[in-house]
Amino acid sequence: MRLLHLSDLHLGKRVCEFSMLDDQRYILEQILSLLDSSPVDAVLLAGDLYDKPVPPAEAVRLLDWFLTALSARRLPVFAISGNHDSAERIAFGSHLLAGSRVYVSPVFDGVPAPITLTDDFGPVDIYLLPFLKPAMVRHVYPDEPIETYSDALGCVLRRCTPDPARRSVLVAHQFVAGAAACESEEPSVGGLDCVDAALFDGFDYVALGHLHSPQKVGRDTVRYCGTPLKYSFSEARQHKSATLVELGAKGDVRITTLPLTPRHDLREVRGSYMELTDRRRYADTAVDDYLHITLTDQQDVPDALARLRVIYPNLMRLDYDNLRTRTQNDLDAPARTEQKTPLEHFAAFYELQNNQPMTSQQTAFCQQLIETLWKEEDV
């Protein structure tokens, strides 16, 4: 069975006040083309379908168009709400949609029941678990001692016991300890929203949403597929993709990525004003990409933003890197230090002492330790 794993569409998102709707439609059309050339048996949408709980009408129309296009291809769709979504709005009409094999997670009210697909190797049970907060789970299970996100997820998954003889897939939207966040989707202070990857051990594949960087967490089959588009300049060096999951017999899971090419890339460019306005430098470049330009001129260039946008119409952000800004950065360093999380402070100290960053396992351990200390302090 072949499954396409997508997440974090963030339909309706604006980046530096630029609307991404046209770019989002372009990338969704590209995903549909991929499905036509490389057919699958189902599509998984792991949350953050919209960028806001109350999305603009244009974003709602775009999602409606995409789901209709998937349904027209007779593809089952399995979608959940993420932390940016309104679970109630995402769940609206879910019983009607199920008649078209578009399955949407309900507002959390207990352990999700599996939806079963079948192939030559037998059944595949798919569980839809919307984004969970501790308060949501305490409301359903008031007698359970639930303080953290990991407690909440553990409470639910202890009751959600896949048949070990059958293949099972979980679609979820959480921050898993050890994963790498980027600027556009930061975890909470101290990593209090982290959950333990071991909670997913009963599932053959876990289709995660929430973090924007494609990556595995712990094992290859617990994965974030990442966003289909770049939504911050911290993602500028990433290569976006959709994740193709192939389930063979029980225990046989193969994962490949299908590259996605945006209508406008999101890039960072650096140089002096004279260099960046020299036709010989920009003539063979995609000048309509979304850009963060850093000028290295020692003196500010009058009206630089407007003048550069004559050449680079989608210039999103303009900074300077010179003696003045470096001095200002030194003056602002104490304030930036106060804004760092405890984990960021410890990671910086570790790298200073060891000349290398912490491993994902060390990061996960530190997050759990900070979370424990945080709880003890509250007590």
Side-chain angles (χ1 to χ4, degrees), residues 154-194:
C155 173
V156 175
L157 294 185
R158 281 196 303 273
R159 293 168 168 79
C160 180
T161 53
D163 186 337
R166 293 158 65 117
R167 294 164 296 166
S168 58
V169 173
L170 176 68
V171 185
H173 191 95
Q174 304 290 155
F175 182 78
V176 181
C182 61
E183 179 183 297
S184 52
E185 195 64 71
E186 290 290 347
S188 65
V189 174
L192 294 181
D193 57 352
C194 288

Side-chain angles (χ1 to χ4, degrees), residues 118-173:
T118 305
D119 66 4
D120 292 341
F121 295 101
V124 176
D125 295 327
I126 300 178
Y127 296 80
L128 301 180
L129 190 64
F131 175 69
L132 293 181
K133 292 183 178 179
M136 298 174 182
V137 183
R138 282 197 297 266
H139 178 74
V140 177
Y141 301 108
D143 297 330
E144 288 286 334
I146 298 169
E147 298 295 333
T148 67
Y149 280 75
S150 214
D151 292 340
L153 191 65
C155 173
V156 175
L157 294 185
R158 281 196 303 273
R159 293 168 168 79
C160 180
T161 53
D163 186 337
R166 293 158 65 117
R167 294 164 296 166
S168 58
V169 173
L170 176 68
V171 185
H173 191 95

Side-chain angles (χ1 to χ4, degrees), residues 26 57 83 104 119 156 240 242 366-367 379:
Y26 179 91
N83 60 304
V104 181
D119 66 4
V156 175
K240 297 299 185 178
C366 288
Q367 286 174 325
V379 173

Side-chain angles (χ1 to χ4, degrees), residues 38 41 43 114 117 126 140-141 156 162 178 196 211 216 224 240 248 251 256 294 310 321 331 333 341 346 349 378-379:
S38 183
D41 298 294
V43 175
L117 301 179
I126 300 178
V140 177
Y141 301 108
V156 175
D196 188 350
L211 300 186
K216 66 176 183 178
Y224 290 99
K240 297 299 185 178
T256 54
T294 301
V310 173
D321 181 14
L331 293 173
T341 66
F346 188 85
F349 176 74
D378 288 341
V379 173

